[in-house]
Short mmCIF file of all heavy atoms in Angstrom, two decimals:
data_model
loop_
_atom_site.label_atom_id
_atom_site.label_comp_id
_atom_site.label_asym_id
_atom_site.label_seq_id
_atom_site.Cartn_x
_atom_site.Cartn_y
_atom_site.Cartn_z
N ARG R 170 179.28 114.87 1.82
CA ARG R 170 179.92 116.17 1.59
C ARG R 170 181.36 116.18 2.11
O ARG R 170 181.65 115.70 3.21
CB ARG R 170 179.14 117.30 2.28
CG ARG R 170 179.79 118.68 2.13
CD ARG R 170 178.81 119.79 2.34
NE ARG R 170 177.82 119.83 1.27
CZ ARG R 170 176.97 120.87 1.09
NH1 ARG R 170 176.99 121.91 1.90
NH2 ARG R 170 176.08 120.84 0.13
N VAL R 171 182.27 116.70 1.27
CA VAL R 171 183.62 117.00 1.69
C VAL R 171 183.63 118.39 2.30
O VAL R 171 183.08 119.35 1.71
CB VAL R 171 184.62 116.97 0.51
CG1 VAL R 171 186.03 117.32 0.98
CG2 VAL R 171 184.59 115.63 -0.19
N ILE R 172 184.22 118.54 3.50
CA ILE R 172 184.44 119.86 4.07
C ILE R 172 185.94 120.08 4.15
O ILE R 172 186.64 119.41 4.92
CB ILE R 172 183.79 119.98 5.47
CG1 ILE R 172 182.27 119.76 5.34
CG2 ILE R 172 184.09 121.34 6.08
CD1 ILE R 172 181.52 119.91 6.65
N LEU R 173 186.44 120.96 3.30
CA LEU R 173 187.87 121.22 3.17
C LEU R 173 188.23 122.45 3.96
O LEU R 173 187.70 123.54 3.75
CB LEU R 173 188.21 121.42 1.68
CG LEU R 173 189.63 121.91 1.38
CD1 LEU R 173 190.66 120.86 1.73
CD2 LEU R 173 189.74 122.32 -0.08
N LEU R 174 189.19 122.31 4.88
CA LEU R 174 189.68 123.41 5.70
C LEU R 174 191.11 123.70 5.31
O LEU R 174 192.01 122.85 5.48
CB LEU R 174 189.61 123.08 7.20
CG LEU R 174 188.20 122.77 7.72
CD1 LEU R 174 187.96 121.25 7.81
CD2 LEU R 174 187.97 123.40 9.09
N SER R 175 191.36 124.89 4.76
CA SER R 175 192.68 125.18 4.20
C SER R 175 192.86 126.67 4.01
O SER R 175 191.89 127.44 4.01
CB SER R 175 192.83 124.46 2.85
OG SER R 175 194.01 124.81 2.18
N ASP R 176 194.13 127.09 3.80
CA ASP R 176 194.36 128.46 3.35
C ASP R 176 194.36 128.51 1.83
O ASP R 176 194.54 129.59 1.23
CB ASP R 176 195.68 128.99 3.92
CG ASP R 176 196.90 128.15 3.54
OD1 ASP R 176 196.77 127.25 2.69
OD2 ASP R 176 198.00 128.40 4.07
N GLY R 177 194.20 127.37 1.17
CA GLY R 177 194.07 127.33 -0.28
C GLY R 177 195.33 127.59 -1.05
O GLY R 177 195.29 127.82 -2.26
N GLN R 178 196.49 127.56 -0.38
CA GLN R 178 197.75 127.86 -1.06
C GLN R 178 198.35 126.59 -1.67
O GLN R 178 199.35 126.05 -1.21
CB GLN R 178 198.73 128.50 -0.07
CG GLN R 178 198.24 129.79 0.54
CD GLN R 178 197.95 130.87 -0.49
OE1 GLN R 178 198.60 130.92 -1.55
NE2 GLN R 178 196.98 131.73 -0.21
N ALA R 179 197.71 126.11 -2.72
CA ALA R 179 198.15 124.87 -3.38
C ALA R 179 199.45 125.10 -4.14
O ALA R 179 199.52 126.00 -5.00
CB ALA R 179 197.05 124.38 -4.31
N ASN R 180 200.48 124.32 -3.83
CA ASN R 180 201.77 124.46 -4.53
C ASN R 180 202.41 123.13 -4.86
O ASN R 180 203.59 123.08 -5.20
CB ASN R 180 202.74 125.32 -3.70
CG ASN R 180 202.92 124.78 -2.28
OD1 ASN R 180 202.77 123.60 -2.04
ND2 ASN R 180 203.24 125.66 -1.35
N ALA R 181 201.67 122.05 -4.80
CA ALA R 181 202.16 120.73 -5.17
C ALA R 181 201.02 119.96 -5.83
O ALA R 181 199.84 120.26 -5.60
CB ALA R 181 202.69 119.97 -3.95
N GLY R 182 201.36 118.95 -6.63
CA GLY R 182 200.32 118.18 -7.30
C GLY R 182 199.58 119.02 -8.33
O GLY R 182 200.15 119.93 -8.96
N LEU R 183 198.31 118.76 -8.52
CA LEU R 183 197.47 119.54 -9.44
C LEU R 183 197.17 120.90 -8.84
O LEU R 183 196.55 120.98 -7.78
CB LEU R 183 196.19 118.78 -9.73
CG LEU R 183 195.19 119.46 -10.70
CD1 LEU R 183 195.81 119.61 -12.08
CD2 LEU R 183 193.91 118.65 -10.79
N THR R 184 197.58 121.97 -9.52
CA THR R 184 197.36 123.33 -9.01
C THR R 184 196.54 124.19 -9.96
O THR R 184 196.21 125.32 -9.63
CB THR R 184 198.70 124.03 -8.75
OG1 THR R 184 199.45 124.09 -9.97
CG2 THR R 184 199.51 123.29 -7.69
N ASP R 185 196.20 123.66 -11.14
CA ASP R 185 195.40 124.42 -12.10
C ASP R 185 193.96 124.53 -11.60
O ASP R 185 193.26 123.52 -11.48
CB ASP R 185 195.44 123.70 -13.46
CG ASP R 185 194.72 124.47 -14.56
OD1 ASP R 185 193.55 124.87 -14.35
OD2 ASP R 185 195.31 124.67 -15.62
#
Side-chain angles (χ1 to χ4, degrees):
R170 178 159 292 191
V171 179
I172 299 182
L173 171 67
L174 300 98
S175 173
D176 59 9
Q178 301 300 329
N180 54 26
L183 180 63
T184 59
D185 184 308

